[in-house]
Structures are given as structure tokens and as C-alpha cells.
Amino acid sequence: GEQVNQEGQTTEQSDKQFRVERPPPRQQSRSAKNECRRVGELAVVLDEQHAETAAAGLLMLRSLQRRCVSAARLAEDAKRPLLRVIYNKVGKCGSRSMVRLLSNLAMKHGFLSIGSPYGSDVRPNDMSRTNIRQFIGQLPAPFVYHRHVHYFPTPNLLPAPTFINMVRHPLDRAVSSYYFHRFGDGQKSGIRGKFVPGTRYFSFDECVEQGLRECHPRLACGT
């Protein structure tokens, strides 16, 4: 007959309390997708918060990332360094579309896409660069860190991160920047930069004809 424990349960009933049932493949796949989506959603939240708050959520991100991918994929990834990417964005070169793409891919594939909580200065001072390096060093790989910033060395980050970027035809970029500073865009309207008073409604051609500084050829040529 069946054995009965001290609680009056049969061995089979007792074992059921500690038995881990494996979900069917379809349910397991749906669960993985949900975890990946949570990774991306949490990354967006951290992206909008300060460094202290973001750092506090990194442990949660690591846990979600582990559950997001299958055991087979984790074993395969353990054989090679996880990707660490820094996307140091160039202004008016499609970076907003690129970040939107990265966020969608992060939700689908379970990597982290996160921006910088340390201001927006494209030429950060030594202290800001140190803070950025420390923040990147805490991010759980695989990740893509994005920010409008000039290239900066990362000697203490091992394995060394990969820098990526996008460029644009210099004249197209100059024209886009010219109108953005005056009128913004679909998401950020209004005046976004400095220009000579009384010239807000000048076309780019009129600006060139008047020889104004904000449309000087050297700005388009990068010199």
C-alpha cells in the first residue's frame, strides 16, 4: 500500500508539492517572450531615471535576462564573450530611429538597450566620463548603451566594448540641424537652439545668402 507521512499525506501527494512541472513548449516560448518584453520595458524605465535609481534596478535586469533566454542559449553564450556595444550618437543622423529599433530588438531578443543618466553634454569633462565608465561597467551584458557623446576611451572595461555609429551626408545633416534648431521636430517642437534674432523664418538658402554663422559651409564639412 501507499506510505503515509506525519501530515497524513501519501508519498505521491507529498511529492506533488515539490515537483516542478515543465510547461509545454508553446507555453514555455510565450513565457520567454514575456520575460524578454519585461527586460525591454524595465530598460526604458531605467533609461528615464537617474543613475542611482537605474543602478538599483540592474540586479533585477540580470535576473530577467537569465530567465529570458533558454538554457541551451545560455550555455552557448557562455562559450563566447557577451556583446557590449556603445552607440555614441551623432546629432541629426537618424539616432532616434536607431534607438527605437534597438528598443524593439531588446524586447524581442532579451538584451539591454539603455541611455545615459549623466546629462547630455557631447563633450563631458573628466568626472562625467568617469561616471559614464562606471555606469557602463555595471550593466549586465549583452547591452547597447546609447548617448550623444564624442568618442571616449574605455581602458578599464574588459572585454572592450564595441563602438557603433551612423553618419549622414554632411549637407543633409546641416539642413536638418538648421530647421531643427528653429522649429524642433514631431516630438520636440519649438525653438531648440540659438540663432540670430529675426532670422527664425529664413530658409536655409536665405541663411547661406546672408552669410549667417549657423549655415556656414564649415559646419557642413565638419571643419
Side-chain angles (χ1 to χ4, degrees):
E2 294 182 337
Q3 297 181 356
V4 179
N5 61 16
Q6 294 180 354
E7 285 75 20
Q9 297 174 317
T10 66
T11 304
E12 182 179 358
Q13 290 173 331
S14 178
D15 288 346
K16 284 185 177 179
Q17 294 183 357
F18 304 96
R19 188 179 302 159
V20 178
E21 299 291 344
R22 174 174 293 182
R26 181 176 299 178
Q27 181 179 349
Q28 193 174 34
S29 176
R30 187 183 300 113
S31 176
K33 290 182 179 179
N34 290 338
E35 295 295 351
C36 292
R37 187 176 295 109
R38 290 181 63 194
V39 170
E41 291 172 351
L42 181 57
V44 172
V45 172
L46 296 183
D47 199 355
E48 297 174 349
Q49 297 177 346
H50 296 292
E52 296 79 8
T53 308
L58 291 181
L59 289 177
M60 186 183 300
L61 274 172
R62 291 190 180 98
S63 175
L64 286 174
Q65 282 179 309
R66 293 190 187 99
R67 285 149 48 186
C68 170
V69 295
S70 66
R73 179 177 164 186
L74 285 175
E76 183 179 346
D77 287 343
K79 300 176 184 178
R80 61 177 181 270
L82 292 175
L83 194 61
R84 306 169 67 173
V85 175
I86 297 178
Y87 172 31
N88 58 319
K89 304 180 291 185
V90 175
K92 314 315 299 177
C93 288
S95 59
R96 185 175 296 166
S97 298
M98 181 68 164
V99 169
R100 189 178 297 114
L101 173 62
L102 290 171
S103 297
N104 291 336
L105 291 174
M107 292 185 186
K108 181 177 181 180
H109 297 289
F111 66 87
L112 176 63
S113 174
I114 188 168
S116 175
Y118 292 101
S120 58
D121 188 359
V122 298
R123 299 182 180 88
N125 56 31
D126 291 341
M127 180 62 71
S128 294
R129 284 197 296 270
T130 298
N131 290 336
I132 293 172
R133 293 189 192 100
Q134 291 177 347
F135 179 75
I136 294 175
Q138 297 176 5
L139 295 177
F143 67 79
V144 178
Y145 170 87
H146 52 84
R147 163 189 180 121
H148 284 292
V149 64
H150 290 187
Y151 171 82
F152 58 94
T154 55
N156 297 325
L157 294 180
L158 297 174
T162 299
F163 280 80
I164 64 171
N165 221 309
M166 290 201 306
V167 294
R168 187 178 183 180
H169 190 285
L171 182 57
D172 292 339
R173 177 173 179 263
V175 173
S176 176
S177 178
Y178 175 84
Y179 287 110
F180 176 76
H181 286 162
R182 284 163 166 70
F183 305 105
D185 56 18
Q187 295 190 21
K188 297 180 179 180
S189 59
I191 297 175
R192 308 295 302 175
K194 298 180 180 180
F195 48 84
V196 177
T199 66
R200 183 184 182 190
Y201 295 97
F202 277 23
S203 67
F204 187 80
D205 290 342
E206 290 173 323
C207 177
V208 173
E209 292 173 355
Q210 295 292 329
L212 301 181
R213 180 182 181 277
E214 56 261 39
C215 54
H216 194 281
R218 70 172 179 272
L219 297 179
C221 296
T223 59

